[in-house]
Amino acid sequence: MLGCVPAAEAATGLGVGVRGHGIVGTAVDEPSGDARLVFQDEGQQPVEPGGEFQIGILGMPSGWDTVSVTSPALAQPVPLVPSAQGATDSDRNAYEARASVPLGVAPGTYALTATSHGRTVATAQLTVAFGPAMIRRFGILRPDVLLGDPVRPGSTVTVLLGDDHPMPGEDSLVAKSPAFTKDVRIRTNGPDDPGCKCDDGSTLYTGHTTLRDDLPPGTYPLTVVSHHGRETHTTQIVLAGKPVATGPSWAVWGGIAAAVLVALAGAGALMRRRPPVTGA
């Protein structure tokens, strides 16, 4: 399909979790005792606002029954239970062991506190941060032109940006270029998606615009700002060949309209000056 990248190039090898975050972690600043919280790749992988991750506890005394993990960064407490009767570790695959960070949580470091029957048994530090964009495909295309190939001035084109790591809730972006007749808003789940989707798993932003027909052949920048203004992505549009015939320009249509108005005004003046017809 247009603008596609083979699936083999899309492999990341990342573990389980929201957008590839792993679920192997360790606690820091633990209270005395052997219990420790496990989450997010040794605690080094941050979680994004709006993201989720698995959490568990290891090293509890045999016979424990429940632990609750709380944090200002979590939407609600996370209940942990033993993986089996008499086990010292929790069931990290349980649905209840999923922790979620609300979209409104500001980036920063937050304390995780695990308590059992009113006693703190383990603590850890959770990092909340926005992840970087991962742009796989970006440019303009037409049904007869591949992504990045030269396009004739005056063409109607699809603007496409594929991000492997989009921001949660960011469903539209604005694409700008001096080669466009006007800025274009590109959106997710647009009508172009079926023809542009590949097996690379990226989130697509697409939209239509028209290229100016009064520009000389050359290279022009195309820019999109994403991640709520924190990241700017730039690629090049190559214009080549004769402009696409789009009919008379607005200036020509304006001249024609003005001429018609003048002619109508003149006809009206002649009718007003014509002497009245008298009877025989």
Side-chain angles (χ1 to χ4, degrees), residues 256-274:
I256 293 174
V260 169
L261 290 175
V262 170
L264 290 175
L270 288 175
M271 292 180 66
R272 288 194 299 272
R273 294 173 182 172
R274 185 175 179 179

Side-chain angles (χ1 to χ4, degrees), residues 149-171:
D149 283 356
V151 180
R152 293 170 60 189
S155 298
T156 297
V157 297
T158 296
V159 182
L160 180 149
L161 182 142
D163 189 351
D164 285 4
H165 197 180
M167 282 293 297
E170 190 171 62
D171 299 326

Side-chain angles (χ1 to χ4, degrees), residues 1-6 136-137 141 158 160-163 187-206:
M1 297 184 185
L2 295 178
C4 284
V5 174
R136 186 177 297 275
R137 292 176 282 152
L141 53 82
T158 296
L160 180 149
L161 182 142
D163 189 351
R187 296 178 170 85
T188 59
N189 299 319
D192 296 298
D193 278 9
C196 297
K197 279 192 182 300
C198 302
D199 57 358
D200 59 17
S202 62
T203 295
L204 295 184
Y205 296 84
T206 57

Side-chain angles (χ1 to χ4, degrees), residues 6-276:
E9 295 181 18
T12 63
L14 295 173
V16 180
V18 173
R19 298 197 180 100
H21 293 321
I23 309 172
V24 203
T26 187
V28 295
D29 301 330
E30 300 176 355
S32 59
D34 297 328
R36 62 191 181 97
L37 290 170
V38 287
F39 63 99
Q40 292 300 89
D41 192 15
E42 298 296 327
Q44 301 303 308
Q45 288 283 357
V47 181
E48 294 185 38
E52 293 184 342
F53 63 99
Q54 294 287 123
I55 191 168
I57 194 165
L58 307 179
M60 290 291 290
S62 179
W64 73 282
D65 56 355
T66 183
V67 163
S68 178
V69 180
T70 58
S71 173
L74 299 183
Q76 57 190 11
V78 180
L80 304 179
V81 296
S83 58
Q85 185 175 0
T88 59
D89 301 339
S90 69
D91 182 0
R92 282 181 282 162
N93 295 318
Y95 175 79
E96 291 80 5
R98 294 189 69 84
S100 61
V101 178
L103 276 171
V105 173
T109 301
Y110 297 86
L112 294 174
T113 303
T115 59
S116 180
H117 299 285
R119 182 174 63 92
T120 298
V121 295
T123 61
Q125 298 294 317
L126 173 68
T127 300
V128 177
F130 292 107
M134 297 176 64
I135 306 303
R136 186 177 297 275
R137 292 176 282 152
F138 183 27
I140 62 171
L141 53 82
R142 286 177 48 84
D144 56 339
V145 177
L146 295 177
L147 190 71
D149 283 356
V151 180
R152 293 170 60 189
S155 298
T156 297
V157 297
T158 296
V159 182
L160 180 149
L161 182 142
D163 189 351
D164 285 4
H165 197 180
M167 282 293 297
E170 190 171 62
D171 299 326
S172 70
L173 304 169
V174 176
K176 300 182 178 183
S177 175
F180 293 168
T181 54
K182 61 180 180 179
D183 297 344
V184 56
R185 185 166 292 278
I186 55 178
R187 296 178 170 85
T188 59
N189 299 319
D192 296 298
D193 278 9
C196 297
K197 279 192 182 300
C198 302
D199 57 358
D200 59 17
S202 62
T203 295
L204 295 184
Y205 296 84
T206 57
H208 296 103
T209 192
T210 302
L211 302 178
R212 291 172 53 182
D213 59 5
D214 58 347
L215 293 177
T219 302
Y220 299 87
L222 166 60
T223 302
V224 171
V225 177
S226 74
H227 284 52
H228 300 304
R230 287 188 300 277
E231 298 200 30
T232 300
H233 318 291
T234 302
T235 188
Q236 301 296 324
I237 296 173
V238 180
L239 299 186
K242 295 182 179 180
V244 174
T246 57
S249 67
W250 287 109
V252 172
W253 282 116
I256 293 174
V260 169
L261 290 175
V262 170
L264 290 175
L270 288 175
M271 292 180 66
R272 288 194 299 272
R273 294 173 182 172
R274 185 175 179 179

